[in-house]
Amino acid sequence: MSLGARLKAILPEFFLQPRGVEGRDRLNYVRIWRYSVIGMIAVAVVPLIILAGINYYQYRRALKAEAVHPVHLLVSNNKRAISFFLQERQSALKFVVREKSFDDLYDPQILTRTMDHLKQAFGGFVDLGLIKADGLQVGYTGPYDLQGLDYSSQAWFKEVVEKGTHVSEVFKGFRGVPHIVISVKHLLRDGSFFILRATLDTEGFNEVIRAMDMSPDSDNFLINQAGVLQTASRRYGQALGRIQLSLPAASAESEVVEIRDDQGESVVLGYARIENSPFTFVAIKPSAHLTVESRGLLSELLIFTIGSVMVILFMILRVATSMVGHIFTADRQRIWALHEMEYSHRMASIGRLSAGVAHEINNPLAIINEKTGLLQDLITAMPDLPLQNKFMKLTESILQSVKRCSTITHRLLGFARHLDVEIEPIDLKVLLEEVLGFLGKEATYRNVTVDLTVWLGVPIIESDKGQLQQVFLNIVNNALEAVDQGGHVGIELKPSGQERVSVTIRDNGVGIPRENIKRIFEPFFSTKGRKGTGLGLAITYGIIKKLGGSISVESEVGRGTSFVVTLPLNSPAPKLGGGD
């Protein structure tokens, strides 16, 4: 195919027309063609690009969640494990000071035997020291010569005296190796006290962390509040080295963020503060695989999107050219005929408009009703049709809606000519549920909770369903407008004495001032200012009275309003010519 033939396939004929076309010049057709192309591109291409962007964003978010969840789980589990490790050994020391007196622990043999029992039961204990209230260590068992040391000036000693317990950071101290110290205070009957101080090696922490390691490229370690490593790190060095990483503020809850480390590498970092200790657990996992996978998906999306856009653009140009070309040809053939028919066409349009206005509402409703009835007959004639019951329910819903629309138009006319009341059996529970179905989206949007409570033994009543729907729609809608965001509307249906039922609609909205309660059923009186017409409750009152019922209202400003509608089991027989 030559270049000219290809251009002819996607460009309209009038692009090559140097002169105007009678009745509509060339620029008009170019404008139509251009708008058609732009409109179809906006409908077809733009959503495709947006969808590709959304898919890429969702995939990125899913990848990030896939990386974040294991880190969050690891941090939470390790936090609990380390906290349990420390609490277990603190509890062991508390048990010792409760079970053994100062004199018992002062005995070197008993102190040594206690130390051996702690090692066998828990492991990780290095030595054990007994310290008097003046800070002097009077008893010690362990591999170091620490007997007689005075700790009264140490910060940890003051903390134990004030709080009763202390867990130290990892430090070397007199021992020259990384360790931590746990101390507990025990009060004596004479008001004095003594402290039992135990040293733990850090191997216990390392075992807990190694046991829950995620993968070879991950890194788990402990730091203190100053950012000093308390255990060894694969990426940042040995214990007691300062970490070169800007960490967020420690949180008691497990937190996971994506940051860049000191080497500029993107990592997923999880951290949590270990309660009642100076430690923060940190878990780091490289997120480079997220970038690689995201780039792969981005490349695939770009290839797919660009290819799809090119095909769509070609088809759009073909369709727009064909469509506008047909308009161009038809205009040339009929331009003179249109001139001759212009006057008669205008007159016919006025006639059709007049007839259309007369049947604007009722004719479409009649057509919908007829076609839906035919559709029901066709569905009934095909018993093997899949989802036949569902289709029948849908067509019945259409017929009910047509009937409802027709009823509404007749009721609008009812202000000039009254319509008869149609009495039928009504289950008020079902009717109220239908009303709430009409207003459900409004309640959900405004975060208003609506409860329906139905007492046992509520009988079926004989009344007019359409008018009762109008009554309860009006009252419930007023209740929804009266409450604020997050408010509550309660509906209660119950028997009321003999041969009557009552429906109570309560809200916790702004309420109605006492001086206005007596006037709310008056026509054209409204508490909504310019937003209300003042006819809703007046019409509601008239309908309820006509059906043989009654309505009452109680309200308190700032507390809410309660409407009580009482209806007879059998509404009075309709009067000839009676209506709304």
Side-chain angles (χ1 to χ4, degrees):
M1 184 182 292
S2 64
L3 179 61
R6 292 178 180 175
L7 290 176
K8 189 176 180 180
I10 62 175
L11 293 178
E13 177 184 355
F14 49 80
F15 264 79
L16 305 177
Q17 293 282 340
R19 296 185 302 273
V21 180
E22 186 176 1
R24 185 182 295 174
D25 63 26
R26 173 178 173 274
L27 291 178
N28 286 339
Y29 290 101
V30 172
R31 189 179 298 112
I32 294 173
W33 181 86
R34 185 185 300 119
Y35 288 165
S36 300
V37 171
I38 293 174
M40 286 188 281
I41 288 176
V43 171
V45 176
V46 174
L48 177 64
I49 295 174
I50 293 175
L51 184 61
I54 292 174
N55 287 339
Y56 178 73
Y57 169 76
Q58 290 180 337
Y59 184 76
R60 278 278 304 174
R61 191 168 66 174
L63 280 178
K64 185 175 180 180
E66 184 179 347
V68 165
H69 179 70
V71 175
H72 190 278
L73 185 63
L74 174 71
V75 171
S76 299
N77 291 341
N78 260 339
K79 172 190 171 183
R80 287 191 293 268
I82 295 172
S83 179
F84 176 78
F85 176 89
L86 295 173
Q87 291 176 3
E88 185 181 55
R89 282 145 184 80
Q90 270 190 345
S91 299
L93 293 182
K94 290 179 180 179
F95 176 81
V96 170
V97 297
R98 289 192 184 99
E99 290 298 314
K100 297 186 182 299
S101 65
F102 177 87
D103 294 332
D104 291 337
L105 295 174
Y106 187 75
D107 187 338
Q109 293 182 353
I110 296 178
L111 188 63
T112 300
R113 190 161 54 249
T114 300
M115 176 66 181
D116 293 336
H117 291 163
L118 292 174
K119 284 183 177 180
Q120 294 173 5
F122 301 99
F125 284 87
V126 176
D127 59 20
L128 199 63
L130 180 66
I131 303 170
K132 293 170 55 179
D134 58 2
L136 185 66
Q137 184 162 268
V138 296
Y140 174 81
T141 179
Y144 305 98
D145 184 16
L146 303 178
Q147 183 74 19
L149 289 179
D150 185 4
Y151 295 110
S152 59
S153 61
Q154 299 292 319
W156 68 264
F157 179 81
K158 298 177 181 178
E159 182 179 344
V160 175
V161 173
E162 293 178 1
K163 298 183 179 180
T165 60
H166 170 73
V167 177
S168 74
E169 300 177 353
V170 174
F171 67 104
K172 291 185 177 181
F174 295 109
R175 297 162 180 79
V177 294
H179 64 280
I180 65 173
V181 172
I182 298 179
S183 306
V184 297
K185 168 186 170 183
H186 182 68
L187 293 174
L188 300 175
R189 292 183 178 180
D190 60 0
S192 182
F193 64 89
F194 67 91
I195 296 173
L196 190 62
R197 184 173 187 262
T199 300
L200 305 177
D201 60 27
T202 58
E203 187 59 26
F205 284 150
N206 293 329
E207 289 179 0
V208 172
I209 294 173
R210 285 195 297 265
M212 302 190 70
D213 203 352
M214 289 187 299
S215 59
D217 61 346
S218 64
D219 191 12
N220 311 320
F221 52 87
L222 291 175
I223 61 172
N224 63 9
Q225 297 181 10
V228 177
L229 287 168
Q230 303 293 283
T231 60
S233 167
R234 292 175 179 172
R235 302 168 65 92
Y236 305 109
Q238 298 299 316
L240 300 181
R242 185 172 294 277
I243 187 171
Q244 300 298 320
L245 185 65
S246 178
L247 293 175
S251 171
E253 299 294 331
S254 299
E255 301 285 348
V256 180
V257 295
E258 188 174 1
I259 63 172
R260 291 192 175 275
D261 63 7
D262 57 339
Q263 301 173 1
E265 182 181 357
S266 178
V267 296
V268 177
L269 182 145
Y271 61 98
R273 176 77 179 272
I274 308 299
E275 296 178 359
N276 301 318
S277 78
F279 306 120
T280 297
F281 177 76
V282 179
I284 294 179
K285 182 179 180 181
S287 58
H289 69 286
L290 297 179
T291 304
V292 174
E293 294 186 25
S294 297
R295 287 176 179 172
L297 175 66
L298 182 59
S299 300
E300 294 175 1
L301 282 176
L302 284 175
I303 294 173
F304 172 80
T305 303
I306 292 173
S308 300
V309 168
M310 292 179 65
V311 173
I312 292 173
L313 287 177
F314 179 78
M315 294 304 300
I316 286 174
L317 292 175
R318 286 291 302 270
V319 171
T321 297
S322 176
M323 178 182 67
V324 181
H326 280 84
I327 296 174
F328 175 76
T329 303
D331 277 356
R332 286 191 300 180
Q333 294 174 350
R334 291 181 288 178
I335 189 67
W336 292 109
L338 289 175
H339 276 299
E340 295 175 0
M341 296 175 59
E342 184 175 2
Y343 179 78
S344 59
H345 177 73
R346 287 180 180 176
M347 298 303 296
S349 296
I350 294 173
R352 287 193 299 269
L353 179 62
S354 300
V357 170
H359 301 282
E360 183 80 19
I361 301 300
N362 291 327
N363 283 352
L365 289 178
I367 293 171
I368 294 171
N369 188 69
E370 179 183 351
K371 298 303 181 182
T372 305
L374 176 61
L375 184 60
Q376 278 190 332
D377 294 338
L378 293 176
I379 294 172
T380 305
M382 293 184 289
D384 296 329
L385 179 67
L387 302 176
Q388 185 188 42
N389 292 334
K390 183 174 182 179
F391 289 146
M392 288 298 294
K393 291 180 180 179
L394 291 175
T395 55
E396 289 173 1
S397 177
I398 294 173
L399 291 175
Q400 291 176 0
S401 298
V402 170
K403 182 179 178 181
R404 176 64 178 160
C405 290
S406 178
T407 302
I408 291 172
T409 58
H410 282 78
R411 285 191 179 136
L412 290 175
L413 297 174
F415 289 103
R417 58 180 182 85
H418 299 295
L419 299 177
D420 293 337
V421 177
E422 182 180 350
I423 303 300
E424 59 182 315
I426 299 175
D427 186 340
L428 281 178
K429 176 179 180 295
V430 175
L431 185 141
L432 289 171
E433 289 175 345
E434 292 175 355
V435 170
L436 295 181
F438 297 154
L439 302 173
K441 289 185 178 179
E442 173 70 14
T444 302
Y445 175 76
R446 299 186 56 210
N447 195 25
V448 176
T449 58
V450 182
D451 297 331
L452 173 60
T453 303
V454 180
W455 286 36
L456 294 176
V458 176
I460 302 296
I461 70 170
E462 298 278 342
S463 191
D464 181 79
K465 181 177 180 180
Q467 298 199 56
L468 286 182
Q469 281 183 333
Q470 183 177 346
V471 166
F472 293 122
L473 271 171
N474 191 18
I475 298 176
V476 175
N477 188 57
N478 286 346
L480 290 176
E481 291 180 353
V483 299
D484 297 325
Q485 289 279 346
H488 176 264
V489 175
I491 303 175
E492 182 181 28
L493 170 61
K494 64 180 180 179
S496 177
Q498 294 182 349
E499 303 297 322
R500 300 182 81 81
V501 295
S502 70
V503 179
T504 303
I505 302 172
R506 300 185 181 89
D507 66 70
N508 60 351
V510 295
I512 303 172
R514 185 179 299 275
E515 60 272 16
N516 291 339
I517 290 181
K518 295 181 179 180
R519 300 186 59 196
I520 60 174
F521 296 116
E522 296 179 5
F524 306 107
F525 177 81
S526 175
T527 61
K528 302 177 183 178
R530 295 182 178 180
K531 296 182 179 179
T533 63
L535 293 175
L537 286 177
I539 295 173
T540 297
Y541 181 84
I543 292 174
I544 293 173
K545 287 296 183 181
K546 181 177 60 180
L547 295 177
S550 63
I551 181 171
S552 62
V553 58
E554 294 181 1
S555 184
E556 184 177 347
V557 176
R559 298 289 298 274
T561 304
S562 175
F563 281 87
V564 181
V565 177
T566 304
L567 297 168
L569 298 187
N570 297 288
S571 291
K575 299 178 181 179
L576 185 61
D580 295 344

